DNA sequence: AACGAAGTTCAGCATTGACTGAACGTTCCG
DNA sequence: CGGAACGTTCAGTCAATGCTGAACTTCGTT
């Protein structure tokens, strides 16, 4: 790993670490985004990230359940191959808008707790709830718009990765 | 503070605490969103939140610099009055889109670190950067659209709080 | 002027939680 | 059938950090 790569991995670790995930999750994801060999075994990552196998195992669980990495197995091979799939981005964004959803739920419970107050006392929270719901609701459309615009721009030069088709081409075993 | 209110305050504390701010920042903000008297002194909050004066002081700094609370002073009154201003929401949202901006910067540096790789090896990061830039760029327009739609819906019933006028009506002292 | 109240700062404490490393279970190969 | 390689789990350690409380500064009052 070059110094520049290491810096990127470490920054991603600090960032995701400060956002509710663990630093190791950020490092692992960052590494999978820039490593030369797109598919990495647990041993590969343990060496690259200088981490224990226990940390790799636990972190892989988190990232996989968040949809940010893909775990693949090959027949007759005990090892697992990790990679950052193209859909990872959308997962990240979906996770991002979870911020708004979660906050809205908290706000909703807060409103329930002050339901006996006069309307003007509840305005602050009500507007907050409405804005959060609005943003969370608009997020998917925003992302889809990006994908469409990008597809239009890259027409012919790259494969057309439609967001709708994404569900289909997710093999659970890597073709040898 | 009723149990329901306390729960809201505590949940907001845990949430903002997990998002890079401190739990106390979340509690303070939550309390300012639901408290009966919109303007609270440090002593008020220290009692409501059962926190030390040191914690109140430090936390108020953070929240004020993030634009999430307003500190006001009255002539001839040593105390400061804290409140969650209407613009707090927009500040929160602006803070929210900082997530995308920050991540994009990290991604940008990552791309610089692997600039010598073949194009197909950089695709993962490049698409990520583009999406992040797109979302960050669209966020302000999204929020403005919400404010417009809300203003249209509430026409006449509430004061028209235009986002453009927000910069003007921010008095640094509360009129007695 | 002096006392009291408000705000700030900072060293110290306590808690949290991320990571390690060993023990265990499981699968593949000789 | 051993033995090796791989993944998982969990108790223990250690660093990070949020909060407290006391000391200090500043401002208003009598």
């Amino acid at each position: 790993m070059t110094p520049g790569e290491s810096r990127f991995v470490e920054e991603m670790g600090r960032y995701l670490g400060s956002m509710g995930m663990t630093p190791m999750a950020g490092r692992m994801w960052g590494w999978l985004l820039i490593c030369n060999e797109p598919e990495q075994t647990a041993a590969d990552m343990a060496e690259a990230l200088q981490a224990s196998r226990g940390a790799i195992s636990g972190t892989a669980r988190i990232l996989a359940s968040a949809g940010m990495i893909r775990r693949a197995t090959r027949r007759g091979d005990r090892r697992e191959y990790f990679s950052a799939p193209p859909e990872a981005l959308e997962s990240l964004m979906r996770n991002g808008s979870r911020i708004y959803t979660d906050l809205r739920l908290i706000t909703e419970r807060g409103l329930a707790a002050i339901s006996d107050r006069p309307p003007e006392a509840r305005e602050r929270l009500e507007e907050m709830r409405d804005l959060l719901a609005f943003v969370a609701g608009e997020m998917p459309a925003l992302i889809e718009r990006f994908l469409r615009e990008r597809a239009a721009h890259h027409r012919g030069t790259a494969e057309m990765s439609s967001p709708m088709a994404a569900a289909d081409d997710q093999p659970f075993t890597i073709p040898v």
Side-chain angles (χ1 to χ4, degrees), chain A:
Chain A
M1 199 172 348
T2 71
E5 290 167 5
S6 173
R7 182 184 168 185
F8 170 72
V9 166
E10 213 52 39
E11 278 187 345
M12 190 64 87
R14 279 214 304 272
Y15 196 74
L16 287 199
S18 78
M19 298 304 290
M21 286 200 172
T22 69
M24 187 66 76
R27 284 194 282 262
M28 181 180 289
W29 196 57
W31 173 243
L32 285 175
L33 282 173
I34 62 167
C35 59
N36 255 323
E37 197 56 53
E39 292 179 344
Q40 297 267 311
T41 67
D44 289 340
M45 293 194 294
E47 194 206 340
L49 304 177
Q50 299 280 31
S52 70
R53 289 191 299 167
I56 299 292
S57 175
T59 303
R61 286 180 76 84
I62 298 174
L63 283 177
S65 76
M68 289 171 64
I69 66 172
R70 176 191 289 176
R71 320 181 65 141
T73 50
R74 298 176 184 170
R75 266 212 292 217
D77 189 342
R78 182 96 172 73
R79 290 173 292 183
E80 276 178 305
Y81 291 84
F82 299 91
S83 60
E87 317 90 65
L89 250 197
E90 301 172 39
S91 290
L92 182 71
M93 286 296 158
R94 224 179 315 117
N95 249 6
S97 53
R98 251 198 44 203
I99 293 178
Y100 303 108
T101 317
D102 292 349
L103 250 184
R104 190 181 64 89
L105 287 179
I106 295 178
T107 306
E108 211 88 65
R109 285 195 288 271
L111 272 173
I114 60 171
S115 57
D116 53 343
R117 302 273 190 81
E120 64 267 21
R122 297 190 313 230
E123 255 179 33
R124 289 167 281 179
L125 264 190
E126 280 173 352
E127 184 173 2
M128 180 167 157
R129 175 201 53 190
D130 294 343
L131 175 51
L132 290 170
F134 176 79
V135 172
E138 292 292 326
M139 217 52 167
L142 200 66
I143 293 172
E144 200 178 331
R145 209 175 100 214
F146 167 79
L147 293 173
R148 265 205 311 276
E149 288 181 11
R150 182 176 179 81
H153 185 260
H154 279 218
R155 184 164 300 152
T157 74
E159 79 289 350
M160 302 268 284
S161 73
S162 137
M164 288 299 116
D168 297 329
D169 53 9
Q170 286 191 25
F172 283 94
T173 49
I174 299 178
V176 278

